[in-house]
Amino acid sequence: MAVSKKNFKRLIVALDLEDKKKINKIVKELSGYIDRFKVGLIAYTKFGPQIVTQLKSKGFKVFLDLKLLDIPNTVINTAKIFAKMGVWAFTVHLKMGENSLILLKKELTTFCRKNELRKPFILGVTELTSEKASLKNVLKLTSLASQAGLEGVIASPQEAPFIRRKYPKLKIITPGIRLPGCREDDQKRVSSASFALNYADFIVVGRPIIKARHPLAAVKKILSC
Ligand code: C5P
């Protein structure tokens, strides 16, 4: 089955690698097909802000997934640096609490307006997809994101339909994507890409693509299942 151009653009590939040669090979192979890469703890710890700059210079949008969880002053000042770096979106744990999230949104918006910067999307992490989680808890955390005016949430594909129905304006980003019958690694709440894309705005996929011998072929297979 041919993959629509639109669905390629809804895939974010997680560059969870510390081998620069491999990263470069994947980025080159997927160039022209996808628009966004996710830089998480592994690549950011190894390469620092440079990897963000490099991806941006090649025309990609960068999703910086460092899952911030700290007191407001620390998170807000870190978020301002992310804005100066020009990241497309970044993540915070919704467990930060409603007041901290409201303050983050307000301060970052003012900072970006004053400095004529594009405000990155703030995405709230509900429950990690590597753990079992109750829908009730995920929805409770999602309500914090909505009340604080965040742009979206990270949740598993299994909760995505419920979030979509209750919070139609929030962007939903779902990791935990696996080919039917394939290894789930440490992920617990998984689904196929086509199920997730019925509800999510974007899906995030790492190992099934970055560990594949032919990443582009893996992308096409994942998006057609
Ligand atoms: O390799 P895999 O496809 O499991 O990668 C999923 C990516 O999404 C990883 O980079 C992981 O850190 C991230 N993530 C997740 N679950 C969340 C939030 C982010 O798996 N709730």
Side-chain angles (χ1 to χ4, degrees):
M1 195 175 69
V3 177
S4 74
K5 209 174 165 193
K6 206 174 135 211
N7 279 353
F8 275 115
K9 308 292 176 197
R10 292 168 72 197
L11 169 69
I12 305 173
V13 174
L15 292 171
D16 293 331
L17 291 165
E18 50 175 314
D19 179 339
K20 200 60 187 295
K21 267 197 192 153
K22 260 194 192 161
I23 291 182
N24 289 343
K25 180 182 169 279
I26 293 165
V27 170
K28 197 168 167 205
E29 192 166 329
L30 301 186
S31 176
Y33 290 90
I34 69 162
D35 285 348
R36 292 169 179 80
F37 283 104
K38 187 180 87 102
V39 172
L41 288 168
I42 299 171
Y44 197 77
T45 303
K46 179 82 184 181
F47 306 109
Q50 207 193 24
I51 186 152
V52 176
T53 315
Q54 281 175 1
L55 289 167
K56 276 175 54 73
S57 73
K58 293 191 167 98
F60 295 103
K61 292 182 179 164
V62 177
F63 171 21
L64 190 55
D65 180 26
L66 301 183
K67 300 186 180 68
L68 307 182
L69 176 61
D70 213 317
I71 58 170
N73 178 64
T74 307
V75 172
I76 289 164
N77 284 305
T78 305
K80 287 178 183 173
I81 301 174
F82 292 165
K84 285 193 268 187
M85 286 162 63
V87 305
W88 167 71
F90 67 91
T91 44
V92 294
H93 272 286
L94 291 167
K95 284 172 189 145
M96 267 178 73
E98 191 180 339
N99 292 340
S100 303
L101 294 167
I102 290 173
L103 203 58
L104 166 65
K105 170 79 191 269
K106 185 170 158 261
E107 297 265 327
L108 187 62
T109 305
T110 309
F111 175 80
C112 290
R113 204 169 287 147
K114 256 193 202 155
N115 293 282
E116 296 182 9
L117 295 166
R118 178 195 163 272
K119 192 187 78 55
F121 290 147
I122 308 172
L123 305 175
V125 178
T126 57
E127 297 281 2
L128 295 174
T129 42
S130 53
E131 294 295 320
K132 289 196 172 140
S134 73
L135 175 63
K136 192 174 156 213
N137 222 16
V138 171
L139 289 175
K140 198 169 143 202
L141 287 165
T142 303
S143 79
L144 298 182
S146 170
Q147 274 153 28
L150 304 197
E151 282 76 18
V153 291
I154 315 291
S156 94
Q158 296 177 8
E159 292 103 38
F162 303 94
I163 297 175
R164 176 56 72 228
R165 198 175 317 140
K166 206 159 174 205
Y167 301 99
K169 286 191 190 142
L170 278 182
K171 290 193 192 308
I172 304 174
I173 289 87
T174 58
I177 305 300
R178 290 296 182 266
L179 282 168
C182 281
R183 44 181 299 167
E184 295 182 359
D185 303 308
D186 52 356
Q187 297 285 15
K188 293 248 161 46
R189 304 187 336 273
V190 301
S191 89
S192 66
S194 59
F195 175 85
L197 286 169
N198 285 329
Y199 307 99
D201 296 277
F202 296 95
I203 56 171
V204 174
V205 188
R207 287 161 292 181
I209 294 169
I210 62 174
K211 295 230 161 124
R213 191 189 288 250
H214 301 294
L216 180 57
V219 164
K220 288 179 180 168
K221 193 165 177 201
I222 283 163
L223 288 175
S224 59
C225 286

